């Protein structure tokens, strides 16, 4: 039972870190978008949650850039 609780604590901790990281990424995306895009392309400014979705979409489409292979092989 103790191992199950420990595993759940680890899972919750990493989920918390993932959400925190995603939120920290969304803020710079929002700032950069709102500074550049309206001036260049006459687009509207975006909210924090729209920036969050945009960052998530970029992550899903572009991935991490890792091929999953070891270097040198």
């Amino acid at each position: 039972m103790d191992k199950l609780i420990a595993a759940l604590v680890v899972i919750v901790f990493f989920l918390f870190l993932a959400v925190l990281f995603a939120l920290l990424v969304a803020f710079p995306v929002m700032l950069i978008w709102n500074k550049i895009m309206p001036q260049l392309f006459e687009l509207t400014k975006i909210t924090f949650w729209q920036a969050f979705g945009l960052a998530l979409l970029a992550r899903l489409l572009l991935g991490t850039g890792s091929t999953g292979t070891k270097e040198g092989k």
Side-chain angles (χ1 to χ4, degrees):
M1 187 68 168
D2 289 338
K3 289 182 181 182
L4 178 64
I5 292 173
L8 287 174
V9 168
V10 168
I11 290 170
V12 168
F13 175 73
F14 281 110
L15 284 175
F16 173 76
L17 284 180
V19 169
L20 181 65
F21 180 74
L23 293 175
L24 290 175
V25 167
F27 190 68
V29 168
M30 182 186 71
L31 291 177
I32 292 169
W33 178 285
N34 289 340
K35 185 67 178 174
I36 296 172
M37 300 306 274
Q39 294 174 5
L40 288 179
F41 303 110
E42 298 179 12
L43 297 173
T44 60
K45 292 186 175 186
I46 61 174
T47 66
F48 177 80
W49 293 110
Q50 289 170 325
F52 180 79
L54 187 62
L56 180 63
L57 178 64
R59 171 71 168 95
L60 290 173
L61 292 175
L62 302 175
T64 61
S66 175
T67 60
T69 60
K70 292 183 180 181
E71 289 187 32
K73 288 192 174 186

